[in-house]
Amino acid sequence: MKADGSVSIHADDRAYKPLNWMSPPCTLKQADGTWTVTNKAGEKLIITLEEVLHDSSHELGVDPGLIKDGVEAHLQELLADRMEVLGAGWSLIRREYPTAIGPVDILCRDSDGATVAIEIKRRGEIDGVEQLTRYLELLNRDPLLAPVKGVFAAQEIKPQARVLATDRGIGCVVLDYDELRGIDDDKLKLF
């Protein structure tokens, strides 16, 4: 049982994945060796305690909150500041370029002056390629921007997404988060 009101039941042999759970918020009623956990939808999880081997509670202090490192917003900001990662002579037009179907992560110009729309993901999957395809179709209707090329940039690009992007004439770039941040990798690399 966690402070956020969630309850998870784990087996000894696979503690990383619960057998059953109730997401917060939950209420707990304890009576004669049973716990009845009820969620906001009224669903109940009834737990029968056969034997209690250990019971403890730990105060961990104020929750500092989860801070994710390497989220899409960070990648977008870093890439916008270091357009040379894509090639010499690339220049930023705008981050979060507005369109009728949502903002394009980065709109820029390549070394030849051509307009390029960049979609950034942490994990590059097919849905990201589809999203960029929709942006490209819309942006290529604008005579001031057209022709607009696409680049799908991610920390990891799934093979299926790479095949689809290539088939649609969209370039793929794998981003190294630490390199964008200017952190040297001290690991030896073969290639």
Side-chain angles (χ1 to χ4, degrees):
M1 202 169 159
K2 294 184 185 176
D4 68 359
S6 62
V7 176
S8 299
I9 300 170
H10 295 272
D12 286 339
D13 64 337
R14 54 187 177 273
Y16 67 94
K17 186 175 179 184
L19 297 171
N20 207 334
W21 67 92
M22 288 293 249
S23 300
C26 297
T27 58
L28 171 67
K29 291 185 182 173
Q30 300 178 20
D32 298 330
T34 61
W35 288 4
T36 303
V37 184
T38 308
N39 68 11
K40 64 182 177 183
E43 299 170 317
K44 292 184 179 184
L45 174 63
I46 300 172
I47 304 165
T48 304
L49 303 174
E50 295 291 328
E51 180 181 9
V52 177
L53 299 175
H54 181 76
D55 185 7
S56 65
S57 178
H58 304 278
E59 288 298 324
L60 301 176
V62 177
D63 182 1
L66 176 64
I67 299 171
K68 286 185 174 181
D69 200 16
V71 294
E72 289 175 24
H74 292 151
L75 291 169
Q76 181 191 114
E77 184 179 331
L78 290 166
L79 185 58
D81 288 341
R82 301 201 51 210
M83 295 301 299
E84 69 275 6
V85 168
L86 300 173
W90 285 58
S91 61
L92 178 69
I93 294 174
R94 180 174 174 173
R95 286 179 50 207
E96 297 290 322
Y97 185 85
T99 73
I101 58 173
V104 174
D105 290 336
I106 292 179
L107 194 67
C108 62
R109 295 209 186 278
D110 66 13
S111 58
D112 297 325
T115 307
V116 181
I118 302 174
E119 181 60 30
I120 300 171
K121 299 290 183 194
R122 286 184 67 228
R123 290 174 41 122
E125 298 182 352
I126 287 176
D127 58 340
V129 177
E130 293 288 356
Q131 182 180 3
L132 180 54
T133 301
R134 291 189 298 273
Y135 289 144
L136 291 171
E137 287 174 2
L138 188 65
L139 292 170
N140 275 305
R141 294 181 201 157
D142 184 338
L144 298 175
L145 296 174
V148 181
K149 299 188 290 187
V151 171
F152 189 52
Q155 288 179 284
E156 167 194 4
I157 299 176
K158 298 290 185 183
Q160 300 90 339
R162 186 177 295 276
V163 167
L164 182 61
T166 302
D167 184 61
R168 294 183 177 178
I170 295 171
C172 291
V173 174
V174 175
L175 300 173
D176 183 325
Y177 182 62
D178 287 338
E179 182 181 312
L180 286 171
R181 291 173 52 205
I183 296 173
D184 288 332
D185 185 356
D186 60 353
K187 297 177 195 156
L188 297 175
K189 294 181 181 178
L190 277 173
F191 304 99

